């Protein structure tokens, strides 16, 4: 199993946000997590990647059998965990090329591999950019600096395809994309996805799931997964709203 | 001085043989001479100044000049306006003349402090070079001697003079008399006066009319000058239409027991000439608690005649306290002055650095790009003056002063002074202060980039505009240097 989250509780600034999350992701699976604003979706993503200020107060997370919560952020990344940010950070002065080359090389070094050949890197990067319909001029631009909302999201998926992790968590990567960009980005994710890796999509919109078919859909409300199902669950949510999921949860209780 | 004898000697074959013998045998005794065992008592007086001049066998005019400087220095008070603080310097507790101290000679690199070696490796300094810097006695010294010899031959064919300052006083007194003190008079400031009275040695460089110096002139090629001493003096003269690119310093960490360093650099760029002066300064900054470390109080100034250009590029990472304002006097019409600076401070370092651009001629242009990076508990100040004189029609200046903070215990300060006395002048000043954000580091970490590499990426990206101005090999080393200097700056 790729990811196993068991009874995970987490706080931000002493406020409990995640109140016992259970989630299992196998290789080859795509999971979608939906839920109202402020329900804790990004908190889960941040916690998985080890962001400071997000504290696990209970439960456990196993990544490929290893205790994820014991690892540093960069170790998690080197182990193959990737987070596409809801709000990608701008790093003025640092070109995407240099940034990604550092990432590729630091991950390679972690696995005892030598640095990537500069030509090989460039060829790979241009190839991936073409797939995502990005101008290769982007390689020389500063990371996310002055990018439009859509460009930032596309850049996240570009990095995903370059780093080729084992588990990708995409936090609202579809927000802010126009219809054409949505298709291109979804195509990028689909190209990345194989039997060997897993994808967790955090989204508010069913339309993303038209392009990336999820194996499972989970509804996160107030720090708990209140409903899980197949992709039809997303359609149902679209029709009936989260209220329905909350009420159905109450019925169960 | 022993070093000059050495330099003067390696031209002749006999002496080269001697040198070879000495460097191969017991190095410790190789250079013992009357002069070397000579030191003078602590403190400064007219007698001390006379003694220094006598020991260096200087002509009368030089002694006179030193004495005038000394007498003037007595009338001056130590400046307190820089944004730095340190306990008072006891000028009577300093030895003003000592033959250059020989570094302890080691048999192999294994004897070198492993911490220092690790730094060398991170900087990408070659094994041969590591040996040279740390004073391991090897044949490599001979190699660099022969490199330097060939190098000197090539230069002299073009009429270029590149030698130690003492050598220049003896061999080219007319040039020294003509130019010394014309750009930085001994009356200029407290430390310039002190330097003028007691300067130990330094470099002299002269490029004749119309000659483009075909290689970067580096103090590195003037072998055995690693210990030029605490009161260094440099004079560069580019005649009409000449060009030279001059490199000072090296990225390797430099230790010195002398705490006070007060250097003077003067540049004269004649009509249509261009001088590019690049510095990497990495003197010992003190330990992480702020103990020890060099005080580096430098006066650097150039004068541009008609159509001439001077560019200062500096990367400052060392010293406990840095106090330095490489300046350009734009005297000639259409002359150009440039200043590109990266000043990095970490731990308890303090830097007060910047430039002065003095526009006197018409249509003169100046550009100032200053990048301050502060980490730890350090204080980093930019202090710059742009002055446009009454007759400087159409003068232009563009200044950009950026500060980058790492952590929240450090300080960055900007003190821009602008004096415009001609209404046609156009002076632009931009300043920004930014922080290396935790979210930026986290973003990098999430991509597998270590915090150290992340800082290095961000800082190097931030300093790009300045590094671009450095000669290629220097730029790569300087980038590594930044990474090393900022090590441990983020928890
Ligand atoms: N760094 C933080 N500081 C303070 N509160 C935080 C922080 N991060 C999350 N929270 C709080 O935790 C709760 C969950 O936020 P989170 O960002 O996880 O929601 P979300 O489900 O991703 O919402 P959205 O759909 O709007 O992106 C919110 O109440 C939010 O204000
Ligand atoms: Mg969110």
């Amino acid at each position: 199993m790729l990811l196993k989250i068991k009874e995970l509780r987490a706080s931000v600034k002493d406020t409990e946000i995640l109140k016992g999350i259970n989630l299992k992701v196998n290789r080859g699976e795509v999971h979608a997590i939906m839920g109202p604003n402020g329900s804790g979706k990004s908190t889960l993503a941040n916690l998985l990647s080890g962001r400071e200020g997000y504290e696990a107060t209970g439960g456990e997370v196993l990544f490929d059998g290893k205790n994820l919560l014991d690892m540093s952020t960069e170790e998690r990344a080197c182990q193959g965990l990737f987070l596409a940010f809801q709000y990608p950070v701008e790093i003025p002065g640092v070109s995407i090329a240099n940034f990604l080359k550092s990432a590729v090389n630091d991950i390679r070094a972690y696995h005892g591999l030598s640095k990537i050949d500069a030509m090989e890197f460039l060829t790979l990067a241009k190839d991936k950019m073409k797939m995502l319909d990005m101008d290769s001029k982007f390689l020389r631009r500063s990371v996310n600096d002055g990018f439009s909302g859509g460009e930032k999201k596309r850049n996240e998926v570009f990095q995903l395809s370059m780093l080729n992790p084992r588990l990708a968590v995409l936090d609202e990567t579809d927000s802010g994309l126009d219809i054409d960009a949505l298709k291109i980005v979804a195509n990028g994710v689909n190209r990345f996805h194989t039997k060997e890796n897993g994808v967790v999509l955090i989204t508010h919109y069913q339309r993303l799931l038209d392009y990336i078919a999820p194996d499972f859909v989970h509804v996160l409300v107030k720090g708990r997964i209140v409903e899980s199902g197949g992709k039809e669950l997303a359609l149902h949510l679209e029709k009936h709203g989260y209220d329905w999921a909350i009420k159905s949860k109450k019925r169960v209780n | 001085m022993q070093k000059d004898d050495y330099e003067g000697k390696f031209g002749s074959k006999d002496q080269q043989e001697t040198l070879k013998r000495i460097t191969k045998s017991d190095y410790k005794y190789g250079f013992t001479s009357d002069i070397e065992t000579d030191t003078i008592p602590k403190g400064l007086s007219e007698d001390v100044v006379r003694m220094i001049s006598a020991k260096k066998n200087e002509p009368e005019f030089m002694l006179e000049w030193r004495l005038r400087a000394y007498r003037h220095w007595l009338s001056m008070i130590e400046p307190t306006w820089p944004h730095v603080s340190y306990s008072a310097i006891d000028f009577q507790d300093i030895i003003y003349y000592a033959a250059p101290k020989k570094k302890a000679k080691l048999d192999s690199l294994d004897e070198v402090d492993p911490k220092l070696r690790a730094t060398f490796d991170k900087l990408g300094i070659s094994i041969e070079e590591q040996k040279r810097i740390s004073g391991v006695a090897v044949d490599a010294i001979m190699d660099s001697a022969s490199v330097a010899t060939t190098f000197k031959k090539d230069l002299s064919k073009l009429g270029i003079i590149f030698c130690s300052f003492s050598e220049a006083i003896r061999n080219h007194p007319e040039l020294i008399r003509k130019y010394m003190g014309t750009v930085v008079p001994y009356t200029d400031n407290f430390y310039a006066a002190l330097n003028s009275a007691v300067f130990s040695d330094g470099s002299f460089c002269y490029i004749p009319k119309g000659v483009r110096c075909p290689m970067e002139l580096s103090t590195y090629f003037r072998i055995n000058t690693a210990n030029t001493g605490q009161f260094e003096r440099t004079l560069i003269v580019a005649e009409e239409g000449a060009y030279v690119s001059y490199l000072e310093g090296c990225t390797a960490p430099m230790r010195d027991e002398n705490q006070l360093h007060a250097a003077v650099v003067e540049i004269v760029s004649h009509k249509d000439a261009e001088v590019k002066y690049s510095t990497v300064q990495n003197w010992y900054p003190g330990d992480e608690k702020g103990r020890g470390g060099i005080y580096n109080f430098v006066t650097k100034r150039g004068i541009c005649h008609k159509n001439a250009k001077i560019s200062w590029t500096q990367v400052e990472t060392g010293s406990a306290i840095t106090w330095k304002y490489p300046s350009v006097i734009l005297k000639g019409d259409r002359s150009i002055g440039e200043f590109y600076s990266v000043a990095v401070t970490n731990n308890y370092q303090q830097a007060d650095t910047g430039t002065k651009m003095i526009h006197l001629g018409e249509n003169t242009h100046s550009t100032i790009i200053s990048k301050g990076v502060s980490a730890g508990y350090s204080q980093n100040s930019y202090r710059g003056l742009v002055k446009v004189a009454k007759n400087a029609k159409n003068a232009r200046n563009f200044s950009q002063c950026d500060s980058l903070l790492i952590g929240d215990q450090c300080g960055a300060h900007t003190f821009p002074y602008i004096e415009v006395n001609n209404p046609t002048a156009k002076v632009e000043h931009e300043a920004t202060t930014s922080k290396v954000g935790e979210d930026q580091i986290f973003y990098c970490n999430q991509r597998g980039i270590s915090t150290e590499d992340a800082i290095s990426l961000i800082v190097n990206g931030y300093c790009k505009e300045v590094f671009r101005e450095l000669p290629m090999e220097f730029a790569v080393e300087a980038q590594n240097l930044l990474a090393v200097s900022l090590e441990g700056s983020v928890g």
Side-chain angles (χ1 to χ4, degrees), chain A residues 40-54:
Chain A
K41 302 181 297 295
S42 294
T43 300
L44 177 62
N46 281 320
L47 189 96
L48 288 179
S49 53
R51 187 168 203 149
E52 216 170 299
Y54 292 77

Side-chain angles (χ1 to χ4, degrees), chain A residues 49 51 73-74 77 81-83 85 89-90 92-94 99 103 106-107 144 156 159, chain B residues 438-440 442-451 453 457-462 464:
Chain A
S49 53
R51 187 168 203 149
T73 297
E74 58 266 41
L81 177 72
F82 181 94
L83 170 61
F85 287 74
V89 179
E90 305 189 356
V94 178
F99 175 77
D106 278 7
I107 293 173
N144 297 322
E156 294 292 289
Q159 293 176 47
Chain B
E438 274 165 34
D439 52 344
Q440 290 174 327
F442 174 68
Y443 190 78
C444 293
N445 287 160
Q446 209 301 309
R447 298 304 186 242
I449 301 171
S450 69
T451 300
D453 286 354
L457 257 181
I458 293 168
V459 171
N460 278 311
Y462 168 80
K464 212 158 44 185

Side-chain angles (χ1 to χ4, degrees), chain A residues 42 86 171-172:
Chain A
S42 294
Q86 183 173 3
D171 193 356
E172 296 197 26

